[in-house]
Amino acid sequence: MPRAVTRSVIPIQPPGEATAMKLQRLLVVIDAEHQQQPALQRAVDIARQVGAELHLLKIEYHPSLESGLLDSQLLNRAREAILRQSHEALRASVAHLSDEGFRIEVDVRWGKRSHEEILARVAVLQPDIPFKSTHPSSALRRLLFSDTSWQLIRRCPAPLWLVHDAKPRGQSLCVALDPLHSADKPAALDHQLIRTSQALQAALGLHAEYLHAQAPLPRSLLFDAEVAQAYDDYVNQCSREHREAFDKLIGQYAIDRAQAHLLDGFAEEVIPKFVHEHNIGLLVMGAIARGHLDSLLIGHTAERVLERVECDLLVIKPDGKG
């Protein structure tokens, strides 16, 4: 019988009027295909600091047990046996955490589409943050919607923590901001990202950096001679607008100017480079839901960045949207 936890739960209370983010209920997606479980390790590290409860979710599926040629009752018994054995094995693998005093709930489900089972559990449990390990995914797999991480980035309504490695890269987080909303993000989302990062900074003892990448239209795309002559003025004006918007946004918070970085270049190129050079452990980004076709062909900036960064990624949607 697990011992009662003795830690106090520390809610994250960001400034402002937005709904307070908490770290009380953490959902961990257990990877059935890999031995290593970076997401579990990260969630345990955080729960150890703030006294959160852990809810483990594992999805089992074997195509051979979906055959219509076999007796349905026999198939059901076989699936039930697999789920029971998997549940017992998972419970045994985390028994040492229960002995330490962690509050742990284990849930093993059968499902062909893992992301649908995860989203269903999120809807019922309402976790503060779901954690999931990430693994390399080819462009073809993403195009065919076969990777669970991409589906969760698009559809998970809760802040989604994608874990790169079991051992964190560093004790710093970086927040990617878009003060001119060039990616069609609502203005409130940047404030949500800052409040969340400040809350995580306070609760987990992280150092925060704030980054905005701006890239003017390349000169090579300007074919009109008269327009091309005014290109330098355009670049200067563009830079001024981004600087003013970024300064105005940062100025509303107690953020040291040395922590605010306005960099030239495309986000999917600038952000991974910054993360690597500054040993960032967690990248915080916003994402918005788009139409089905747009998601299929273009994808979000968060998705393109995830392919290149070597740290954890926390994806946040606008309040109340998934």
Side-chain angles (χ1 to χ4, degrees):
M1 191 76 176
R3 297 199 304 258
V5 71
T6 57
R7 305 173 185 82
S8 60
V9 175
I10 304 176
I12 295 183
Q13 180 71 44
E17 300 179 356
T19 302
M21 181 184 181
K22 303 174 183 178
L23 283 179
Q24 297 178 344
R25 184 178 299 163
L26 309 182
L27 173 63
V28 183
V29 178
I30 300 299
D31 194 330
E33 298 180 0
H34 295 81
Q35 181 100 18
Q36 300 297 321
Q37 302 293 334
L40 177 59
Q41 185 59 59
R42 187 74 74 253
V44 167
D45 290 343
I46 292 175
R48 185 172 279 117
Q49 293 183 69
V50 301
E53 59 189 43
L54 298 171
H55 297 257
L56 312 188
L57 173 64
K58 185 177 182 181
I59 311 299
E60 292 282 4
Y61 180 75
H62 300 275
S64 60
L65 295 181
E66 294 290 343
S67 173
L69 301 178
L70 299 178
D71 179 79
S72 60
Q73 291 185 347
L74 180 61
L75 290 175
N76 287 335
R77 287 200 298 272
R79 286 193 289 263
E80 289 173 0
I82 288 175
L83 291 176
R84 183 172 57 254
Q85 293 170 7
S86 182
H87 187 280
E88 292 173 355
L90 179 56
R91 173 58 73 181
S93 71
V94 297
H96 65 289
L97 296 176
S98 294
D99 292 340
E100 285 184 43
F102 286 95
R103 292 169 292 177
I104 300 179
E105 177 183 305
V106 173
D107 185 10
V108 180
R109 300 184 175 195
W110 186 272
K112 182 176 182 180
R113 296 176 177 83
S114 295
H115 70 275
E116 293 183 355
E117 296 298 330
I118 296 169
L119 292 172
R121 184 62 178 143
V122 167
V124 173
L125 182 63
Q126 297 289 303
D128 298 310
I129 298 181
F131 290 78
K132 184 187 178 302
S133 304
T134 62
H135 301 281
S137 174
S138 69
L140 178 60
R141 289 185 65 199
R142 187 173 70 257
L143 187 65
L144 297 177
F145 287 104
S146 59
D147 190 276
T148 303
S149 295
W150 304 125
Q151 290 286 2
L152 294 179
I153 286 177
R154 295 183 178 110
R155 299 172 55 186
C156 183
L160 174 66
W161 193 312
L162 297 170
V163 183
H164 189 273
D165 290 309
K167 184 178 180 180
R169 282 175 51 88
Q171 291 298 307
S172 294
L173 65 85
C174 176
V175 189
L177 301 169
D178 182 24
L180 289 181
H181 326 302
S182 57
D184 297 326
K185 293 184 177 70
L189 182 54
D190 274 334
H191 294 281
Q192 194 176 337
L193 294 174
I194 293 175
R195 286 192 293 264
T196 298
S197 67
Q198 290 184 328
L200 290 172
Q201 183 181 2
L204 304 179
L206 301 175
H207 173 77
E209 303 284 352
Y210 300 86
L211 171 65
H212 172 50
Q214 62 102 9
L217 187 70
R219 185 189 293 270
S220 59
L221 295 182
L222 302 179
F223 300 103
D224 184 280
E226 185 176 344
V227 174
Q229 289 178 358
Y231 180 77
D232 290 340
D233 291 338
Y234 154 73
V235 171
N236 292 333
Q237 177 63 26
C238 181
S239 179
R240 245 188 333 267
E241 290 179 357
H242 280 271
R243 169 57 66 186
E244 291 173 357
F246 189 47
D247 287 348
K248 181 178 179 181
L249 174 63
I250 294 297
Q252 298 177 57
Y253 297 88
I255 296 175
D256 191 316
R257 292 291 172 170
Q259 298 172 256
H261 310 271
L262 176 61
L263 303 179
D264 294 326
F266 294 104
E268 56 266 37
E269 298 174 355
V270 169
I271 294 175
K273 181 179 179 181
F274 184 92
V275 164
H276 177 75
E277 292 178 347
H278 291 78
N279 198 35
I280 299 297
L282 174 65
L283 175 62
V284 183
M285 295 190 68
I288 58 174
R290 300 179 184 271
H292 180 82
L293 183 61
D294 185 55
S295 293
L296 175 65
L297 298 178
I298 302 175
H300 302 307
T301 299
E303 294 174 353
R304 298 195 296 271
V305 169
L306 177 59
E307 295 176 331
R308 305 185 185 192
V309 295
E310 299 176 353
C311 71
D312 290 5
L313 178 65
L314 180 62
V315 181
I316 298 176
K317 301 286 185 61
D319 278 329
K321 296 184 179 181

